[in-house]
Structure formats: C-alpha cells, structure tokens
Amino acid sequence: MVALNSAVVLIVEDEPLIRFNILDVLEEVGHVALEAANADEALVVLKGRQDVDILFTDVNMAGSMDGLQLANRVRAMRPNIGIIITSGMVRLDPMTLPANTAFLPKPYMHDALISTINSLMT
C-alpha cells in the first residue's frame, strides 16, 4: 500500500518495538514519522512542530496522561489535526469520537493504519 498524500504523523506508543515498527512502515510508504514514548513527549514535539498532520496514539501508556486525555488536549490545541486512537484493551465506538478522529483496534494490519491515515488526509 502507498500513501495517497504524504503526511507528518506523530506516533505516541510506549512500547518501543511497536513504535519503531510503525515508524518504519509509515516511512516506507512515504509519510514523515515522528515518535514519542508518552503524552508528555508528544506535547513537546507538537509545540516544536506545526506541520504534524496526524496524531496516532495508544490509549494505555505511562506518564501524566493516557492517550484519550492526550487526544482531547491535542484537539483543543489544534482542531484540524487528524487523530487515530488505538488500543487492545478498550473499544471505542467510532460514532462517539469527535470529527476527524478514528479508532483502530489492536491488533491492526499495517494496511488498515495507512488507509485510516489516507482517509483523514482527504
């Protein structure tokens, strides 16, 4: 699968192997991938980069806030950013999510992630 439009994607995942794998997959299809191990690191990245198109965050992670709290904070800071929330522990109803937000349950196929990014970029 190929990215329809190149996006700058911030990956927020506390499991390093998963984070590095996603980073490689996204770069392979033409996206620019940034990484953060938790919400606090993600907010630092977002303050320094105005070009982030997509936030891809896990729900459960260590730090001062979980992925849902991070998504709400980012939505307030940057209403136009696309947000993808993932989890293997909780299931979110896509109908209850704010506009330009998607839920991708774990485990997911890489093609599903790329398709979701493409849909949020159009």
Side-chain angles (χ1 to χ4, degrees):
M1 179 161 259
V2 177
L4 297 178
N5 298 306
S6 180
V8 177
V9 182
L10 175 55
I11 303 159
V12 188
E13 169 64 61
D14 61 349
E15 182 60 47
L17 291 177
I18 295 172
R19 190 172 65 244
F20 298 147
N21 178 261
I22 296 166
L23 186 122
D24 287 343
V25 166
L26 294 183
E27 288 179 342
E28 189 174 294
V29 299
H31 293 303
V32 175
L34 308 172
E35 61 180 300
N38 57 48
D40 298 317
E41 287 182 17
L43 291 172
V44 169
V45 171
L46 287 166
K47 285 180 183 166
R49 303 256 333 218
Q50 296 301 312
D51 62 342
V52 175
D53 299 303
I54 303 284
L55 172 73
F56 177 54
T57 184
D58 192 12
V59 172
N60 298 325
M61 60 186 158
S64 67
M65 66 183 87
D66 67 19
L68 293 173
Q69 293 166 317
L70 173 63
N72 287 328
R73 172 91 50 99
V74 170
R75 176 60 68 227
M77 290 171 38
R78 297 205 196 157
N80 296 326
I81 197 168
I83 298 174
I84 303 170
I85 301 170
T86 188
S87 179
M89 305 294 227
V90 298
R91 294 285 187 245
L92 301 176
D93 180 355
M95 300 304 291
T96 65
L97 298 175
N100 212 26
T101 302
F103 177 68
L104 193 61
K106 287 183 179 179
Y108 51 83
M109 301 297 290
H110 292 148
D111 286 352
L113 173 58
I114 294 163
S115 294
T116 303
I117 292 170
N118 287 341
S119 71
L120 290 173
M121 291 296 294
T122 56

